[in-house]
Amino acid sequence: MTISYSDTFIRLLFRWKGSLWKAIWKHLLLYLLIYYSINVLYRFWMTAEQQAIFLKYVVLFDNWTREIPLTFLLGFYVAMIVRRWWDCCQLISWPDHLLYNVSALIRGHDAETRIIRKTIARYAILTSVLAWRSISLRVLTRYPTDDHLVDSGLMTREELLLFQSITVQVDPHQKWWVPLNWIQTMMVRCFEKGTLTHTNELRVLLDALEKYRNGFFQLFIYDWIAIPLVYTQVSTISVYGYFAFALIGRQFPSQNENREVIDMYVPVFTILQFLFYVGWLKVGEDLMFPFGADDEDFEFNYILERNLEVAMLIVDDLHNQVPPVYVESLDDDIQLLHTHASSRLPDHPQRQHLRKYKFKPDAIQITYGDKTGPNSVEMPTSKSSVLSFTDLENMANGPPRKPKF
């Protein structure tokens, strides 16, 4: 069985969810409706004299569309948004690194230690919900109030009362960091109690906690400071202005460069341009705010469910777990096997670009510098001679200088 990449490409080309067709079909339908309304008016409602005058405007408007630097404007605009979108992807906080360190350093199977580890994991997931529901429509819809956090088990009633007693004057929604402060206090108390035996262990945990916190903070910055509105307006006006002129400039019959009249009923190239440019603009608009509920937005609900399951496995079920190691396993051979399908796939191993480079025989001879120079050191010519430490020092530093009196 072989993989048909052409079939995969065709399926991706005509897929509806998150596709170009879903993004712009309404715009294209409206554009073609206006275009053919003008076309019908031109063909059936205008006199011959009016059609001649209209043809002059068709040529004029078509020339005006060439004056708009559409590719230049959209290129910078979309490149900036895609780079910003990818940065947001990289800033999604995953608790794995933090909880791996918690499981490695806060050790023990007694009830108190297990509760500490599981509480740290729960507080880490609680921080995700509190932070992401301020920027993500999916998470806000799932947890619209603090009572929903209690019902889901992410927060106890006592923790909710303590959380609500904390007053933040600037922005009431910016209390997502409170559970992280609770985690930090628990780590310090573990060190004071002796569960953490060295300050380096506490330092490792606090560094992992800071890295986890920084992702949420940076996402808030991206959600707060958007692309300048002026840049968005320039790109949007240029695209829609271009196709507004194209409504007249791409009407047929039109003239080519040789002043020959060409009549077409379907503006094929204009439709392709509409797909390219308006689709390009829609890419920027959809990726500018990736925290909504559209097809291409971040799936924060899936991330929350995955993080909760993995977090509890790391700190509890997988804590101190390792497969048994037998002495006989040292003699076991390891073979990387192929299936029939994988054996037929082409391999492209790494090959260094200097693998076939060869030196000439005289180029690999060792040279000891110019013997006629002032700092040259003569090498012993006899094969049986032995270099002394003085000879080696003279080779490295040159002959000793004569003292000046």
Side-chain angles (χ1 to χ4, degrees), residues 374-375 394 397-405:
N375 298 325
N394 292 339
N397 302 324
R401 297 182 179 179
K402 296 181 180 180
K404 296 182 180 179
F405 298 99

Coordinates of all heavy atoms in Angstrom, one line a residue, residues 374-375 394 397-405:
P374 N 62.7 35.8 10.9 CA 63.4 36.1 12.2 C 63.0 35.2 13.3 O 63.8 35.0 14.3 CB 63.1 37.6 12.4 CG 61.8 37.8 11.7 CD 61.8 36.9 10.5
N375 N 61.8 34.7 13.3 CA 61.3 34.0 14.4 C 61.1 32.5 14.1 O 60.4 31.8 14.8 CB 59.9 34.5 14.9 CG 60.0 35.9 15.4 OD1 60.9 36.3 16.0 ND2 58.9 36.7 15.1
N394 N 60.4 26.7 22.4 CA 60.9 27.6 21.3 C 59.9 27.5 20.1 O 59.7 28.5 19.4 CB 62.3 27.2 20.9 CG 63.3 27.5 22.0 OD1 63.0 28.3 22.8 ND2 64.5 26.9 21.9
N397 N 56.8 29.6 21.3 CA 56.9 31.0 21.6 C 58.0 31.7 20.8 O 58.2 32.9 21.0 CB 57.3 31.2 23.1 CG 56.2 30.6 24.0 OD1 55.0 30.7 23.7 ND2 56.6 30.0 25.1
G398 N 58.8 31.0 20.1 CA 59.9 31.6 19.3 C 61.2 31.5 20.2 O 61.2 31.2 21.4
P399 N 62.3 31.8 19.6 CA 63.6 31.8 20.3 C 63.6 32.8 21.4 O 62.9 33.8 21.4 CB 64.6 32.1 19.2 CG 63.8 32.9 18.2 CD 62.5 32.3 18.2
P400 N 64.3 32.5 22.5 CA 64.4 33.5 23.6 C 65.0 34.8 23.2 O 66.0 34.8 22.4 CB 65.2 32.8 24.7 CG 66.0 31.7 23.9 CD 65.2 31.4 22.7
R401 N 64.5 35.9 23.7 CA 65.0 37.2 23.4 C 66.2 37.5 24.2 O 66.3 37.1 25.4 CB 63.9 38.3 23.6 CG 62.7 38.1 22.6 CD 61.8 39.2 22.8 NE 60.6 39.1 21.9 CZ 59.6 40.0 21.9 NH1 59.6 41.0 22.8 NH2 58.6 39.8 21.1
K402 N 67.2 38.2 23.7 CA 68.4 38.6 24.4 C 68.0 39.7 25.4 O 67.3 40.7 25.0 CB 69.5 39.1 23.5 CG 70.0 37.9 22.6 CD 71.1 38.4 21.7 CE 71.6 37.3 20.7 NZ 72.7 37.8 19.9
P403 N 68.5 39.7 26.6 CA 68.2 40.8 27.6 C 68.9 42.1 27.2 O 70.0 42.0 26.6 CB 68.7 40.2 28.9 CG 69.7 39.2 28.5 CD 69.3 38.6 27.2
K404 N 68.2 43.1 27.4 CA 68.7 44.4 27.1 C 69.4 45.0 28.4 O 68.8 45.1 29.4 CB 67.6 45.4 26.6 CG 67.0 45.0 25.3 CD 66.0 45.9 24.9 CE 65.3 45.5 23.6 NZ 64.3 46.5 23.1
F405 N 70.6 45.5 28.2 CA 71.3 46.1 29.3 C 71.6 47.6 29.0 O 71.9 47.9 27.8 CB 72.7 45.4 29.6 CG 72.4 44.0 30.0 CD1 72.6 42.9 29.1 CD2 72.1 43.7 31.3 CE1 72.4 41.6 29.5 CE2 71.9 42.4 31.7 CZ 72.0 41.3 30.8

